[in-house]
Short mmCIF file of all heavy atoms in Angstrom, two decimals:
data_model
loop_
_atom_site.label_atom_id
_atom_site.label_comp_id
_atom_site.label_asym_id
_atom_site.label_seq_id
_atom_site.Cartn_x
_atom_site.Cartn_y
_atom_site.Cartn_z
N ARG A 39 -17.08 -0.56 -20.48
CA ARG A 39 -17.77 -1.77 -19.98
C ARG A 39 -17.94 -1.70 -18.49
O ARG A 39 -19.02 -2.00 -17.98
CB ARG A 39 -16.97 -2.99 -20.38
CG ARG A 39 -16.88 -3.27 -21.83
CD ARG A 39 -16.20 -4.62 -22.15
NE ARG A 39 -15.94 -4.78 -23.56
CZ ARG A 39 -15.39 -5.88 -24.12
NH1 ARG A 39 -15.11 -6.90 -23.31
NH2 ARG A 39 -15.20 -5.92 -25.41
N LEU A 274 -3.10 0.46 -19.87
CA LEU A 274 -3.71 -0.80 -19.45
C LEU A 274 -2.62 -1.87 -19.22
O LEU A 274 -2.65 -2.52 -18.17
CB LEU A 274 -4.65 -1.28 -20.53
CG LEU A 274 -5.45 -2.58 -20.20
CD1 LEU A 274 -6.86 -2.52 -20.79
CD2 LEU A 274 -4.77 -3.78 -20.72
N VAL A 278 -1.62 -3.83 -15.69
CA VAL A 278 -2.01 -5.24 -15.59
C VAL A 278 -0.76 -6.07 -15.48
O VAL A 278 -0.67 -6.99 -14.63
CB VAL A 278 -2.86 -5.64 -16.79
CG1 VAL A 278 -3.15 -7.15 -16.71
CG2 VAL A 278 -4.23 -4.94 -16.81
N GLN A 318 -13.71 -7.69 -11.40
CA GLN A 318 -12.68 -8.58 -11.75
C GLN A 318 -13.06 -9.49 -12.96
O GLN A 318 -12.23 -9.65 -13.87
CB GLN A 318 -12.35 -9.51 -10.57
CG GLN A 318 -11.21 -10.47 -10.85
CD GLN A 318 -10.98 -11.47 -9.73
OE1 GLN A 318 -11.91 -11.88 -9.03
NE2 GLN A 318 -9.72 -11.84 -9.52
N PRO A 319 -14.27 -10.16 -12.97
CA PRO A 319 -14.58 -10.98 -14.15
C PRO A 319 -14.60 -10.22 -15.40
O PRO A 319 -14.25 -10.77 -16.50
CB PRO A 319 -15.91 -11.58 -13.80
CG PRO A 319 -16.45 -10.77 -12.71
CD PRO A 319 -15.31 -10.18 -11.97
N ILE A 320 -14.99 -8.98 -15.39
CA ILE A 320 -15.03 -8.14 -16.59
C ILE A 320 -13.63 -7.88 -17.10
O ILE A 320 -13.31 -8.01 -18.29
CB ILE A 320 -15.79 -6.80 -16.34
CG1 ILE A 320 -17.22 -7.04 -15.90
CG2 ILE A 320 -15.69 -5.86 -17.56
CD1 ILE A 320 -17.99 -5.79 -15.48
N VAL A 321 -12.75 -7.49 -16.14
CA VAL A 321 -11.33 -7.20 -16.50
C VAL A 321 -10.62 -8.44 -16.97
O VAL A 321 -9.93 -8.41 -18.00
CB VAL A 321 -10.61 -6.59 -15.31
CG1 VAL A 321 -9.11 -6.40 -15.62
CG2 VAL A 321 -11.23 -5.25 -14.96
N ARG A 322 -10.85 -9.55 -16.28
CA ARG A 322 -10.09 -10.78 -16.65
C ARG A 322 -10.54 -11.29 -18.00
O ARG A 322 -9.71 -11.67 -18.81
CB ARG A 322 -10.40 -11.88 -15.56
CG ARG A 322 -9.65 -13.16 -15.79
CD ARG A 322 -9.71 -14.04 -14.55
NE ARG A 322 -11.11 -14.18 -14.09
CZ ARG A 322 -11.46 -14.55 -12.89
NH1 ARG A 322 -10.55 -14.90 -12.02
NH2 ARG A 322 -12.76 -14.68 -12.51
N ALA A 323 -11.85 -11.21 -18.30
CA ALA A 323 -12.32 -11.65 -19.65
C ALA A 323 -11.82 -10.71 -20.73
O ALA A 323 -11.48 -11.16 -21.83
CB ALA A 323 -13.86 -11.67 -19.61
N TYR A 324 -11.76 -9.44 -20.45
CA TYR A 324 -11.29 -8.45 -21.42
C TYR A 324 -9.81 -8.71 -21.75
O TYR A 324 -9.42 -8.57 -22.91
CB TYR A 324 -11.54 -7.06 -20.96
CG TYR A 324 -11.20 -5.99 -21.97
CD1 TYR A 324 -12.02 -5.77 -23.08
CD2 TYR A 324 -10.05 -5.23 -21.82
CE1 TYR A 324 -11.67 -4.80 -23.99
CE2 TYR A 324 -9.71 -4.26 -22.74
CZ TYR A 324 -10.55 -4.05 -23.86
OH TYR A 324 -10.25 -3.06 -24.79
N CYS A 325 -9.06 -8.95 -20.69
CA CYS A 325 -7.59 -9.22 -20.89
C CYS A 325 -7.36 -10.44 -21.78
O CYS A 325 -6.51 -10.46 -22.69
CB CYS A 325 -6.88 -9.34 -19.58
SG CYS A 325 -6.64 -7.81 -18.67
N ALA A 326 -8.17 -11.46 -21.52
CA ALA A 326 -8.09 -12.66 -22.40
C ALA A 326 -8.53 -12.35 -23.81
O ALA A 326 -7.88 -12.83 -24.78
CB ALA A 326 -9.02 -13.76 -21.83
N GLU A 327 -9.51 -11.46 -23.95
CA GLU A 327 -9.94 -11.07 -25.27
C GLU A 327 -8.87 -10.37 -26.12
O GLU A 327 -8.78 -10.59 -27.30
CB GLU A 327 -11.15 -10.16 -25.10
CG GLU A 327 -11.80 -9.65 -26.39
CD GLU A 327 -12.96 -8.71 -26.09
OE1 GLU A 327 -13.68 -9.02 -25.13
OE2 GLU A 327 -13.07 -7.73 -26.77
N ILE A 328 -8.09 -9.50 -25.46
CA ILE A 328 -7.05 -8.74 -26.17
C ILE A 328 -5.66 -9.36 -26.05
O ILE A 328 -4.68 -8.75 -26.48
CB ILE A 328 -7.05 -7.28 -25.71
CG1 ILE A 328 -6.68 -7.10 -24.25
CG2 ILE A 328 -8.41 -6.60 -25.98
CD1 ILE A 328 -6.49 -5.67 -23.79
N GLY A 329 -5.55 -10.49 -25.36
CA GLY A 329 -4.27 -11.16 -25.28
C GLY A 329 -3.29 -10.58 -24.28
O GLY A 329 -2.08 -10.61 -24.53
N VAL A 330 -3.77 -10.04 -23.14
CA VAL A 330 -2.92 -9.49 -22.10
C VAL A 330 -2.92 -10.45 -20.91
O VAL A 330 -3.97 -10.83 -20.42
CB VAL A 330 -3.37 -8.10 -21.70
CG1 VAL A 330 -2.57 -7.58 -20.49
CG2 VAL A 330 -3.29 -7.12 -22.81
N ALA A 331 -1.71 -10.85 -20.46
CA ALA A 331 -1.57 -11.79 -19.38
C ALA A 331 -2.18 -11.22 -18.09
O ALA A 331 -1.87 -10.07 -17.73
CB ALA A 331 -0.13 -12.20 -19.17
N TYR A 332 -2.99 -11.97 -17.40
CA TYR A 332 -3.65 -11.56 -16.16
C TYR A 332 -3.26 -12.56 -15.12
O TYR A 332 -3.63 -13.72 -15.17
CB TYR A 332 -5.18 -11.56 -16.39
CG TYR A 332 -5.99 -11.14 -15.26
CD1 TYR A 332 -6.60 -9.88 -15.21
CD2 TYR A 332 -6.29 -12.03 -14.16
CE1 TYR A 332 -7.46 -9.49 -14.15
CE2 TYR A 332 -7.08 -11.63 -13.11
CZ TYR A 332 -7.68 -10.38 -13.13
OH TYR A 332 -8.46 -9.99 -12.07
#
Side-chain angles (χ1 to χ4, degrees):
R39 294 185 189 183
L274 183 146
V278 174
Q318 184 187 34
I320 298 174
V321 173
R322 185 167 49 197
Y324 184 76
C325 286
E327 179 183 322
I328 63 174
V330 174
Y332 181 104

